[in-house]
Amino acid sequence: MANPQSSAQVPVTVLTGYLGAGKTTLLNRILSEQHGKKYAVIVNEFGELGVDNDLVVNADEEVFEMNNGCICCTVRGDLIRIIEGLMKRKDKFDGILVETTGLADPGPVAQTFFTDDDVKARTRLDAIVTVIDAKHFFGQLEQGSEAEQQVAFADVILLNKTDLVSADELKKVEDKIRGINRYAHIFRTQKSQIELDAILDKGAFDLGRILEFEPDFLHSGHDHNHGDEVASLSISADRPVDPDKFQKWMGALLQIKGPDIFRSKGILAIDGAPRRYVYQGVHMMMDSDWGSPWKDGEARSSKLVFIGRNLDGDNLKRGFEDCLK
Amino acid sequence: MKLDLANPAWQQTLPPARSLATDAPVAACAFSRDGNTVAFALGDGQVRQMPADIKAPIPDATPALHSGVVMALIGDPVGDGFVSGGDDGRVLRVALDGTATELLVQKGKWVEHLAAHRNGAVAAGVGRTMFAIKDGEVREFGPHQSTVAGLDFSKDGGRVACAHYDGITVWSIGQVVLPPRRFAWRGSHVALKWSTDGKFIATGTQENDIHVWRVAQATDMRMQGYPAKVKSLSWTADARFLYTSSQPVFTAWPFAGKGPEGKPPLQFGDEGAGLMTVVAAHPTAEFVAGGYDSGELQLGDIKTKRSVVLKMADSSAITCLAWAPDGFRLAVGNDRGDLLVIDLRR
Ligand SMILES: [Zn+2]
């Protein structure tokens, strides 16, 4: 619905997670299992995969900063090139998996799919899947911001190696993940064992499937956020949204807070519009479209979700309320 | 050379052409140095050759030379065959009988760009490195800060310019080793063409503009306002104009006299055919061919600002164009695998 070409676009799944979390195990499973599908895999380390496949491409994670000088506006130019190259093949494939290095920021990968027209025409970002080592997660959080960011960006989280921790420890890890990102699907796994349809073809970035993907999306949560931690919050409203005011507010917000906002999405009940207005963003980049129509008698409520650092929930709430009729 | 775009017959009928349908996207096409043979680089590893004469019989397809996509193809500067590069990391010298000899192998890398000079040198962009191949000797230049996204020889063949993130690097490839020259401009440069008079180097950028450096003075200029990234650039034979893709019409920046600064580009041609994906200036005269994302192909004349349609839109984007050295034949490839040779003599 959001894009009439979506059926012809190859879905791309981004696989993040620390070194040793289980990404390679998962990739090897996807490539070797009998599922009747063919995947191209873009990896950063050749030779780690045990599968011999000419659709495995080595990438160096070449990130460039865009000319606007903004620190968060970074793109994987190598990914654009590789996707263009893969599309020249006679043999087509059902999906693309992009593995990132253990310390990678998922931002540039995701932003590549907002930036390049050719990539947008031929592929669609399906979901960001983050694999977490249950035993080492807390240690990794202390080493730097990467582990936290990888959780913050995720649509799907494989909480892996659950057999190596106690039930108590596991709960602590899961609570911590939820504290950062309460909207991702979490699957507890061992040896990256997961049904592939739990992680592939999720449509997490599909504007037409925002409602379907977010189980809690229309249930407003109670959000509190302290300090400079990464957290997620949602804001909802029952009064219709003034589109001009919203655009102005959101534009200014992303201009100032864009580097701190990892993911944002929303469904808006625009004043007088018969359809939902849906959007999806990564840092300052955003796609939006008209979604499904409101049914007769349906409560027209709006909801915004932010996942980011230093989010001031009260300020965001006030800002959004000023956009209402 | 007489291509008469004002002639009503040119406006109403498509020129004689030969087309061959394959089922693999065409990444590149080229004529041989003698102009007698044309070849197409295909997405199934084949380098498909055929006579430039559209009435001569087409030989059978020869086996695939590369294991994946043939990504780059040029006429061999020291023979009448071709040089190809593939996503199998190999650069091959391809003979007219379809057999090949290996010039370079870089396992696990893609050979995405090739250029040649009539002095016999071949330059290959392979990952972050540029390889210069001449007289059986392979020399390595780089690594650059990112993958080489375009390369071209200087007019005298003594230097090669490489496009990458945040600018370009110019290498002297002669026997005297000179330090490389860097020309900086932030962002990702995705195409590069050295002007036919050697004075300018132009790049297309990911962020929808083009950048041109004056090589001697190291000054630069930026032309903005494109609706998409500019992946195809072509200098006219006399270096008076730089043609750029990614507009609905032919777009030429004037470089004669004081240059294009502060001037709008010359724009002409029939709008409504989509966005131009590939542009190729005629090798000798003031004509230009432009292929569109809609599949349409136009021939333009910058003198009269006229244009004619050489091929109708058919929903498969044109991916490559090549003029025969004499300028009478034009090779065209598209995304679907159609190979086309147009004969413009009427
Ligand atoms: Zn930014």
Side-chain angles (χ1 to χ4, degrees), chain A residues 29-161:
Chain A
R29 287 201 34 237
I30 294 172
L31 289 177
S32 57
E33 264 178 26
Q34 296 298 317
H35 40 58
K37 297 228 164 132
K38 204 163 147 190
Y39 294 98
V41 183
I42 301 169
V43 295
N44 57 73
E45 215 36 79
F46 242 164
E48 279 197 14
L49 288 180
V51 185
D52 187 29
N53 183 323
D54 69 335
L55 279 175
V56 177
V57 185
N58 199 25
D60 273 343
E61 301 209 336
E62 296 178 350
V63 175
F64 73 89
E65 287 175 24
M66 292 180 68
N67 228 320
N68 65 9
C70 173
I71 53 158
C72 75
C73 292
T74 48
V75 173
R76 284 271 305 268
D78 61 325
L79 211 50
I80 297 174
R81 234 177 8 83
I82 289 168
I83 286 172
E84 284 174 348
L86 285 170
M87 292 303 168
K88 291 176 184 158
R89 296 183 72 96
K90 179 187 169 187
D91 304 328
K92 301 300 176 205
F93 35 84
D94 302 290
I96 299 174
L97 297 150
V98 182
E99 182 207 24
T100 66
T101 55
L103 295 178
D105 169 6
V109 189
Q111 288 175 160
T112 302
F113 296 87
F114 286 78
T115 303
D116 187 81
D117 294 335
D118 296 331
V119 166
K120 273 168 136 173
R122 310 296 285 273
T123 63
R124 60 178 174 82
L125 180 55
D126 184 65
I128 297 173
V129 177
T130 299
V131 187
I132 285 171
D133 178 341
K135 189 162 175 66
H136 295 108
F137 182 60
F138 280 107
Q140 287 158 358
L141 281 179
E142 282 166 19
Q143 284 169 31
S145 57
E146 293 87 1
E148 198 177 34
Q149 276 183 29
Q150 289 167 357
V151 169
F153 271 100
D155 298 294
V156 176
I157 289 172
L158 296 201
L159 181 47
N160 199 27
K161 307 197 178 182

Side-chain angles (χ1 to χ4, degrees), chain B residues 183-185 201 211-214 217-222 261:
Chain B
F183 297 85
W185 184 259
I201 299 172
H211 214 82
V212 184
W213 284 271
R214 283 187 181 81
Q217 296 86 346
T219 55
D220 62 327
M221 59 197 101
R222 177 191 190 190
E261 281 136 316

Side-chain angles (χ1 to χ4, degrees), chain B residues 104-119:
Chain B
L104 179 72
V105 196
Q106 291 287 300
K107 218 175 162 9
K109 299 258 164 60
W110 288 3
V111 181
E112 290 182 79
H113 301 281
L114 291 173
H117 190 270
R118 60 177 185 283
N119 69 11

